[in-house]
Amino acid sequence: NGEREIQKRTEKESSVDSMLRQADLFVKSKFFPPYIDTKEKALAVMLTGRDLGLTFTEALRSISIIHGRPCVEIKSLLGLAMKSGEFEDMQIKEGTDFCEVTIKRKGRSPITTRFDDSEAQKMGLLGKENYQKQKATMYRWRCLAKNLRMTFADAISGLYLQEEIAEEVVIHTDKDSGETRVVEVLPEAL
């Protein structure tokens, strides 16, 4: 029995050693976001991704660490829910001052969440630039994340949206692809 424990420990250590070597190569490649600038940061993202069932490259492309917490974009949260094989349907209703999301998980009743001006006001979000420029998008993200935390808590494992954790964020839209991504602006950079 002691021999098995030593073998398990050795396999685990070699697995971490192997991952550290891979993490170092990923950092040196500069293929991933610039905030993944050490092999230790890359390893933390890789391990978080592994826990979520993501490949290392998927994790490095989609998981950020902001204030020591793993964060993702909404498409990643939604992707994790869909990968579960339990995602059945989603409906989104939007108005000028609200968003309502209904998600149905297989074998369960649909769950509806709402995010509106009153909630944004209470959270101090209405004055933020992103909420002034892209109110409908920001409400949709918040409402969808709120719903996924209830309907697919097991699949998303407590992840938050990047913009929920960062003190301030800037949304960049790629001119060619039209894809948006959130970039953290640290308080000392303001």
Side-chain angles (χ1 to χ4, degrees), residues 99-173:
C99 180
E100 199 172 88
V101 173
T102 302
I103 295 179
K104 173 135 179 33
R105 185 172 179 155
K106 289 180 182 175
R108 301 198 184 162
S109 299
I111 292 179
T112 300
T113 53
R114 181 181 177 91
F115 192 87
D116 58 28
D117 280 352
S118 65
E119 195 167 357
Q121 181 71 38
K122 287 177 194 169
M123 296 171 79
L125 300 173
L126 289 177
K128 292 190 174 203
E129 185 178 347
N130 291 333
Y131 283 81
Q132 291 175 357
K133 288 182 176 180
Q134 302 181 59
K135 184 177 174 179
T137 299
M138 301 306 283
Y139 278 27
R140 189 178 320 116
W141 286 357
R142 288 281 180 149
C143 192
L144 185 52
K146 186 178 182 181
N147 193 301
L148 289 169
R149 281 194 196 93
M150 290 190 295
T151 54
F152 286 94
D154 55 333
I156 66 170
S157 192
L159 290 173
Y160 283 86
L161 298 180
Q162 295 163 335
E163 67 103 15
E164 289 177 305
I165 299 298
E167 295 291 323
E168 281 291 326
V169 295
V170 175
I171 296 179
H172 289 284
T173 303

Side-chain angles (χ1 to χ4, degrees), residues 17-30:
D17 289 341
S18 172
M19 288 176 70
L20 266 173
R21 284 192 301 278
Q22 290 177 55
D24 192 40
L25 291 173
F26 287 140
V27 170
K28 288 176 181 173
S29 76
K30 299 192 185 285

Side-chain angles (χ1 to χ4, degrees), residues 22-94:
Q22 290 177 55
D24 192 40
L25 291 173
F26 287 140
V27 170
K28 288 176 181 173
S29 76
K30 299 192 185 285
F31 184 68
F32 297 102
Y35 53 80
I36 301 175
D37 56 356
T38 68
K39 65 182 179 184
E40 292 81 8
K41 288 179 185 176
L43 179 62
V45 170
M46 290 162 61
L47 289 169
T48 301
R50 185 179 70 179
D51 291 346
L52 295 166
L54 301 175
T55 66
F56 294 154
T57 54
E58 284 177 314
L60 289 163
R61 282 192 313 267
S62 62
I63 297 173
S64 307
I65 305 296
I66 299 176
H67 300 308
R69 299 178 80 175
C71 308
V72 295
E73 296 177 19
I74 190 62
K75 64 185 176 185
S76 296
L77 282 185
L78 189 55
L80 289 168
M82 290 179 166
K83 274 185 174 185
S84 74
E86 296 289 315
F87 196 96
E88 191 170 299
D89 190 32
M90 176 175 64
Q91 306 215 345
I92 299 175
K93 284 188 206 172
E94 295 176 294

Side-chain angles (χ1 to χ4, degrees), residues 169-185:
V169 295
V170 175
I171 296 179
H172 289 284
T173 303
D174 184 274
K175 293 175 188 172
D176 299 324
S177 70
E179 280 199 33
T180 60
R181 65 182 169 87
V182 176
V183 178
E184 177 183 21
V185 178

